[in-house]
Every structure is written in structure tokens, then in C-alpha cells.
Amino acid sequence: MNAERHKKPRPPLDGGSLERIALFYVGRYATTRAKLRSYLARKLRERGWEGEGEPAIEPLVERFSSLGYVDDGAFAVARTASLQRRGYGERRVGQALHAAGIEAADAERAKEQARDGAFDAALRFAERRRIGPYASAVPERAAREKAFAAMVRAGHSLDLVRRILDAPPGQIPECDIF
């Protein structure tokens, strides 16, 4: 049977329905202004516009932001903490914030948080992958190169990756220069 089934077409949006779907979206998901803007534009493409004039997406997004329903700075800090708990580095955090549409001013506190927690995040990544000081034995060259590449892809700096991977199994390096 067809996955679409015989759905009744949704009516076009007007000002009130646009606000209702925006409110539902921000109530259900942690989001940014850019993501809310994109979501509303997609809904307008899918359902069309029946209201007077042009749809007021930008004023609606700004109003939700001023009311505190959407807070890009808080989203950035929370996303950074989540990525760091999973062991991702500063560069990868910056990429995720950029992809979420966070502007530089809103991302500054989160980027500082990523810089401050870079060493701990790298250790968490090494622990999850059982590499560096968390390996059971000193790896062969190919395994070391693979671990090196994985840490770099995770967004860690080359100096930090070298420091973590140079640590012998069982000896966690001290955080003195990072």
C-alpha cells in the first residue's frame, strides 16, 4: 500500500496557522533562529500561503527570539556541552554551530567553552575509542595512524592528538599546556 495513503491535502497557511506551527515547533524542539526560519519556509512551500501579503517569517522569528522561545546562545552552549561529552574537539564544535546557523556573536561563549574543555574532550574520545592511554597495548603504526586520523576528524588539534596518542597505555597525560 502507498505510504502516503489517501491523505486529505492540508489547507494553505495564514498568519494564525503559521504562528501555531512555529509555536508547536519551538515547544517541541531545541532550535535556533535559522532552523525555525528554515522550518517555516519549508512549511510554506509544502502548504502554500493564503494570508494577505507576504508571509511574515522574519518578524515571527524575531518575536519568538525576543520572548525567549528561541535562544541561539543557550542552544550553542548546550550543543557544545553535548558534543564535548561525546569527545568532539573545538573545530568539530565550531562546524556544528555553523551548520545550525548560529551567528558568531551567539557562538562566542560556546567556542570559549570548547577551548577550555578541549583536553578533557580529547581524553573522552580516546577513552571511547580505547586509544592512547586507554589502549591495552602500544599500537602498530597502521593502528596509530588510524587513531590519529579519527581524532583529527573529531576536531582535535594536531598537538593535542600527538600528546594523547604518545601517552603509553595506562598513563594519562597531565593537562599543563592546554
Side-chain angles (χ1 to χ4, degrees), residues 9-75:
R10 304 282 304 203
L13 296 171
D14 61 8
S17 59
L18 186 67
E19 186 168 342
R20 280 192 300 277
I21 66 169
L23 190 57
F24 174 79
Y25 184 75
V26 299
R28 184 162 184 177
Y29 304 104
T31 190
T32 64
R33 289 189 305 256
K35 284 184 173 188
L36 177 59
R37 203 175 291 119
S38 173
Y39 173 77
L40 293 175
R42 179 173 58 88
K43 287 298 180 184
L44 283 167
R45 279 192 311 275
E46 290 172 355
R47 293 178 55 182
W49 177 249
E50 191 175 73
E52 295 179 20
E54 289 294 312
I57 292 177
E58 194 58 37
L60 184 60
V61 169
E62 291 307 316
R63 186 165 58 101
F64 276 29
S65 179
S66 69
L67 291 171
Y69 297 162
V70 179
D71 185 349
D72 286 3
F75 179 91

Side-chain angles (χ1 to χ4, degrees), residues 125-126 129-133 135 137-153 157-169:
F125 188 83
R129 296 290 181 102
R130 296 187 185 117
I131 56 179
V138 176
E140 299 289 325
R141 180 180 176 149
R144 179 180 162 79
E145 288 174 358
K146 185 176 177 182
F148 191 91
M151 287 193 76
V152 170
R153 280 191 309 272
S157 70
L158 295 177
D159 292 336
L160 183 55
V161 171
R162 283 188 195 101
R163 181 144 184 231
I164 297 292
L165 294 180
D166 285 346

Side-chain angles (χ1 to χ4, degrees), residues 48-124:
W49 177 249
E50 191 175 73
E52 295 179 20
E54 289 294 312
I57 292 177
E58 194 58 37
L60 184 60
V61 169
E62 291 307 316
R63 186 165 58 101
F64 276 29
S65 179
S66 69
L67 291 171
Y69 297 162
V70 179
D71 185 349
D72 286 3
F75 179 91
V77 168
R79 183 75 172 136
T80 298
S82 171
L83 289 169
Q84 284 193 306
R85 281 191 303 272
R86 292 170 33 206
Y88 291 108
E90 185 180 350
R91 192 180 74 253
R92 181 77 177 264
V93 167
Q95 291 169 344
L97 296 179
H98 178 73
I102 305 290
E103 296 175 7
D106 292 324
E108 194 55 45
R109 196 170 94 214
K111 287 182 178 181
E112 183 179 320
Q113 175 184 342
R115 276 190 297 275
D116 293 345
F119 186 78
D120 292 332
L123 283 177
R124 268 192 292 288

